[in-house]
Amino acid sequence: MSDDDNSPISARAAKQLFAEFRSAPALVLAVSGGPDSVALMWLAARWKRGLARGPQLTVVTVDHGLRPEAAREAREVKRLAAELGLAHRTLRWRGAKPNTGLPAAAREARYRLLAQAARNAGASHVLTAHTRDDQAETLLMRLVRGSGLAGLAAMARLTERDGVVLVRPLLDVPKSQLIATLRRAKIGFADDPTNRDTAFTRPRLRALLPQLAAEGGDSRSLARLAGRLARANAAVDVLVDGAERFLQLRARGDAPQAGGRSFEAAAFANLPEEVRLRLLLRAVNALGHEGPAELGKVETLLAVLDQAVAASPRAAANGRPVLKQTLAGALISLAGGRIHIAPAPARRSKGR
């Protein structure tokens, strides 16, 4: 860790973090009460005070109803926001909580509530306090789960969700620097014990980071790797866009498939495997009605599809279906020398 990683963030550095939002009409700051989000709020308030005119800042705290301390922490955020001259709202995740997949469900609920708050405040952006440490942990989580290139790119600085742009302005900033900033300003923050609860994956991986750092795999190097993978992923996406246009040009003159997509099987088979996989994933996700397809299942489907095209070129060229399979609510078939993807018929209810 460099000395800069333990230094408070200067006013000049904070100005650079938020400069692109100067002309925005309003911004929502997601603040839980922990050190990262409290630092985000304090830095944004200091930046706003230095502007003759600037966006309206609204602080939003989401109480997931999972810890008794959460309500008190939300009140403390409200108190500090008032001292900084910022409006504050507390939103609660109501209803039953799942027994499994709780972190993911809580994250979905949090983003849904934040997007709603942004729309109510007339804000086009929601700023979250994800740090370089969070980026490193996300990369490790996706690595151990066997994610593809897109997943290993980890978190993007800008992400569109529910009609609102999520921004992570602190994604290159280490957590230690945010804590140093709060200590310099003599501002307290909450300590969420779930961040150390080894019943969840992220805290278990977080506990490994000091050992990885001793081998050179600190948060800086892991975040740098995520950035390089994001760069490679963006390049592959450009290739997929080109391949999609190429296949569309090859299909000129063919009768269009109503409500679906169709690729010439031979031309599709000649594309690189990663490009074929992404084309198939795009089509299934666009036309299926059962949520995003799992990468592993799409890989299995592509292998079956490739085998069918290679083993039955003549059969694939006549009108008889050589392959017919459903995935994530999409129907994928091979017939007449073409690969067809369309919405699958709705499943019959068990009572019929």
Side-chain angles (χ1 to χ4, degrees):
M1 183 180 293
S2 69
D3 291 340
D4 288 341
D5 289 350
N6 293 307
S7 301
I9 296 175
S10 67
R12 178 179 296 181
K15 183 178 180 180
Q16 294 174 346
L17 289 173
F18 302 109
E20 65 190 280
F21 310 114
R22 181 171 182 167
S23 60
L27 300 172
V28 162
L29 309 177
V31 181
S32 66
D36 305 345
S37 60
V38 169
L40 171 71
M41 175 172 62
W42 189 83
L43 290 167
R46 184 173 65 172
W47 163 72
K48 170 72 182 302
R49 286 197 302 270
L51 301 176
R53 295 185 62 183
Q56 175 68 38
L57 302 183
T58 300
V59 177
V60 174
T61 303
V62 177
D63 182 352
H64 297 91
L66 301 175
R67 296 183 299 111
E69 306 89 352
R72 175 180 54 78
E73 292 166 3
R75 289 193 297 271
E76 184 60 23
V77 172
K78 180 178 182 179
R79 182 195 63 78
L80 181 56
E83 289 181 3
L84 296 172
L86 304 180
H88 177 272
R89 291 187 62 195
T90 297
L91 302 179
R92 292 173 176 83
W93 180 27
R94 304 187 185 278
K97 309 300 189 288
N99 294 324
T100 59
L102 184 59
R107 183 171 58 251
E108 287 297 316
R110 179 166 63 253
Y111 285 133
R112 183 180 67 252
L113 290 169
L114 288 170
Q116 175 186 320
R119 288 191 291 269
N120 292 341
S124 56
H125 296 76
V126 172
L127 276 58
T128 69
H130 292 99
T131 66
R132 191 175 74 192
D133 302 66
D134 296 317
Q135 184 75 310
E137 293 165 11
T138 299
L139 174 65
L140 289 177
M141 287 182 68
R142 295 182 180 180
L143 180 65
V144 298
R145 291 174 180 173
S147 294
L149 182 59
L152 293 176
M155 293 183 286
R157 189 175 183 276
L158 300 175
T159 307
E160 193 279 332
R161 191 184 185 106
D162 297 330
V164 174
V165 179
L166 294 178
V167 187
R168 302 176 176 94
L170 308 179
L171 201 55
D172 294 326
V173 179
K175 184 186 190 78
S176 57
Q177 197 170 13
L178 297 178
I179 292 176
T181 301
L182 294 179
R183 285 175 176 165
R184 170 73 64 83
K186 294 181 172 55
I187 294 175
F189 49 85
D191 177 28
D192 184 351
T194 59
N195 288 329
R196 299 183 298 277
D197 188 348
T198 55
F200 301 115
T201 303
R202 187 178 285 271
R204 291 197 299 271
L205 291 175
R206 183 177 296 137
L208 296 176
L209 282 172
Q211 299 174 43
L212 292 174
E215 300 296 333
D218 59 7
S219 65
R220 184 189 299 274
S221 61
L222 291 173
R224 184 187 302 121
L225 174 59
R228 288 170 175 168
L229 292 170
R231 192 171 62 213
N233 180 62
V236 174
D237 263 342
V238 171
L239 295 177
V240 177
D241 291 340
E244 198 164 29
R245 289 192 294 270
F246 165 73
L247 292 173
Q248 289 170 353
L249 289 172
R250 297 278 297 186
R252 283 187 176 178
D254 295 338
Q257 184 184 18
R261 297 184 187 181
S262 177
F263 304 135
E264 181 187 336
F268 181 84
N270 287 328
L271 295 171
E273 183 176 357
E274 180 68 16
V275 173
R276 297 200 309 278
L277 179 69
R278 294 195 185 206
L279 285 170
L280 196 56
L281 182 62
R282 281 185 184 184
V284 169
N285 284 341
L287 298 167
H289 49 76
E290 295 180 1
E294 295 179 21
L295 179 60
K297 292 183 178 180
V298 181
E299 289 172 333
T300 300
L301 172 62
L302 179 62
V304 172
L305 193 58
D306 286 347
Q307 187 176 16
V309 172
S312 309
R314 293 183 180 179
N318 62 38
R320 291 177 298 153
V322 175
L323 177 144
K324 205 168 188 179
Q325 190 169 326
T326 60
L327 176 61
L331 176 64
I332 302 93
S333 60
L334 173 63
R338 301 192 68 80
I339 299 164
H340 304 279
I341 303 100
R347 297 177 186 269
R348 295 182 179 180
S349 62
K350 293 183 179 180
R352 296 183 179 179

